[in-house]
Amino acid sequence: MQEKIFSLEEIDYSRFWGTNDRLLDFVRLLFPKIKLIARGEMLKAIGSDEDILHFEGKLMAMMTYYEKFGKLNENAIMQIFESGGSTPEAETNDEILVHGRNGILIKARTHNQQRLVKAIHQNDIVFAIGPAGTGKTYTAVAMAVRALKNKEVRRIVLTRPAVEAGENLGFLPGDLRDKLDPYLQPLYDALRDMIPQQKLLSYWEDNTIEIAPLAFMRGRTLDNAFVILDEAQNATSSQLKMFLTRMGRNAKFIVTGDVTQIDLPHHQQSGLVQATKLLGNIEGIEVIQLDRSDVVRHRLVTKIIQAYEDAPQL
């Protein structure tokens, strides 16, 4: 008899096995020749070399299924058990972008968000322009996570200009990472909704997911990557040109921004405004406009946006 220990640390193992380890008990029934002992994130298998090797293939397929769809059930396990180990596709839904944490199904919820998803599928550079709360960044991050899970890209790069209203990095306490984190928090929040914490930490550690300020993009070539520039209304024309020319092979670039909330000094033009005018008619580039009908935050956000749009210029 041999034994082998498997680690489930990169997934939410408590949800993976279900309430009271219900799915683990189901797996035990399917592998009666193997003794399975679960201790937190560790799973010990005891049996013959041949049986353990067979079990390992099925376990890897179950973990792949869970990472892709955010859930596991008896039906999926049976399909994996009866197949050659491939991940079943029976429960996919074309409208679902990502199976997020805690069973959340992340979808494009409005007409323009659906247009954005379609544009990302069909183009390598997409501009998503719209007011706060319209799901520009969230939808883009969901598409990036989906592409990573489907192995369409090898990494995700998320970036923002380090510019905010009335703020300056030098006045914030801490080292460079501490200074940058507040600017990048919306990107962290979106990722935490979509990827289990341990898996997300491993992605950060090996740079599968990289979050950096826009200034750090200079001189780079980004191949096999899904790249998102968020808050692009605060990028200058030269910065946005620099960013877009970082595109390498097998890359998608998504640029999101709200042209009604430009925080650049008054003498500087937003590069986002200029870029959409210059590049909007190039094949392979698409501009998607979102509006207050796409707001998915509190209902008052829609009314606030409308009030500012209707008000005379101050």
Side-chain angles (χ1 to χ4, degrees):
M1 300 292 282
Q2 301 293 328
E3 67 177 51
K4 185 168 184 177
I5 296 177
F6 302 95
S7 173
L8 280 67
E9 64 180 354
E10 292 188 358
I11 63 175
D12 186 346
Y13 56 87
S14 61
R15 294 191 65 246
F16 181 77
W17 292 130
T19 305
N20 297 322
D21 288 342
R22 174 177 54 84
L23 296 179
L24 178 58
D25 291 337
F26 183 70
V27 171
R28 286 186 174 116
L29 293 175
L30 297 176
F31 293 90
K33 295 181 180 180
I34 294 180
K35 183 177 182 180
L36 298 175
I37 303 171
R39 293 287 186 271
E41 66 191 32
M42 310 305 293
L43 177 69
K44 180 187 290 187
I46 303 173
S48 69
D49 288 343
E50 182 180 354
D51 289 337
I52 289 178
L53 184 63
H54 180 226
F55 170 74
E56 181 176 7
K58 302 303 183 182
L59 178 63
M60 294 304 105
M62 287 188 284
M63 292 175 66
T64 299
Y65 182 94
Y66 180 84
E67 288 182 350
K68 187 172 183 180
F69 301 118
K71 60 182 179 179
L72 189 67
N73 55 37
E74 289 92 341
N75 184 53
I77 293 172
M78 280 302 301
Q79 289 184 60
I80 292 169
F81 180 76
E82 294 172 352
S83 72
S86 60
T87 304
E89 302 289 342
E91 298 189 21
T92 59
N93 183 330
D94 290 340
E95 295 182 356
I96 298 172
L97 304 182
V98 178
H99 289 76
R101 299 180 64 188
N102 301 319
I104 298 173
L105 301 181
I106 297 171
K107 303 180 180 182
R109 296 169 58 183
T110 70
H111 173 66
N112 285 327
Q113 287 179 12
Q114 291 168 356
R115 289 179 59 229
L116 176 57
V117 168
K118 183 178 180 180
I120 292 172
H121 279 305
Q122 296 177 346
N123 300 274
D124 288 335
I125 295 179
V126 176
F127 292 86
I129 315 297
T134 51
K136 307 179 298 295
T137 300
Y138 202 80
T139 302
V141 171
M143 292 295 288
V145 171
R146 179 177 182 171
L148 183 64
K149 287 187 174 183
N150 290 342
K151 298 183 176 8
E152 296 167 10
V153 296
R154 295 179 184 171
R155 57 180 171 152
I156 297 172
V157 179
L158 308 174
T159 184
R160 296 180 77 181
V163 176
E164 295 295 339
E167 295 287 350
N168 185 293
L169 285 175
F171 292 107
L172 294 175
D175 59 19
L176 181 61
R177 175 67 182 269
D178 295 328
K179 293 173 186 288
L180 291 172
D181 274 356
Y183 297 92
L184 304 173
Q185 198 60 49
L187 299 174
Y188 290 128
D189 291 343
L191 288 170
R192 289 189 182 105
D193 278 356
M194 302 174 195
I195 302 175
Q197 183 67 17
Q198 289 301 316
K199 187 69 171 179
L200 184 56
L201 289 174
S202 72
Y203 281 154
W204 281 334
E205 288 173 1
D206 65 11
N207 279 334
T208 298
I209 296 181
E210 177 186 353
I211 302 181
L214 179 58
F216 287 20
M217 295 296 106
R218 189 174 299 277
R220 302 181 62 182
T221 300
L222 301 172
D223 296 322
N224 299 304
F226 198 114
V227 188
I228 300 173
L229 170 58
D230 192 34
E231 298 288 349
Q233 76 275 4
N234 291 327
T236 65
S237 295
S238 61
Q239 286 177 323
L240 199 46
K241 177 184 176 183
M242 177 273 292
F243 169 76
L244 292 173
T245 54
R246 301 308 92 203
M247 175 175 269
R249 292 169 296 180
N250 189 38
K252 280 191 181 288
F253 275 39
I254 312 303
V255 180
T256 70
D258 177 3
V259 295
T260 69
Q261 297 192 48
I262 299 172
D263 298 315
L264 291 168
H266 292 301
H267 66 277
Q268 287 187 319
Q269 181 185 11
S270 169
L272 181 60
V273 174
Q274 182 188 55
T276 53
K277 293 177 180 178
L278 289 175
L279 308 177
N281 293 324
I282 296 177
E283 185 177 353
I285 300 177
E286 187 165 350
V287 179
I288 300 295
Q289 295 282 346
L290 297 97
D291 55 40
R292 60 176 178 260
S293 67
D294 299 296
V295 172
V296 292
R297 292 181 182 170
H298 194 285
R299 58 182 177 80
L300 288 178
V301 174
T302 303
K303 295 183 178 181
I304 291 168
I305 293 171
Q306 182 174 355
Y308 274 94
E309 288 179 350
D310 295 343
Q313 294 296 319
L314 300 178

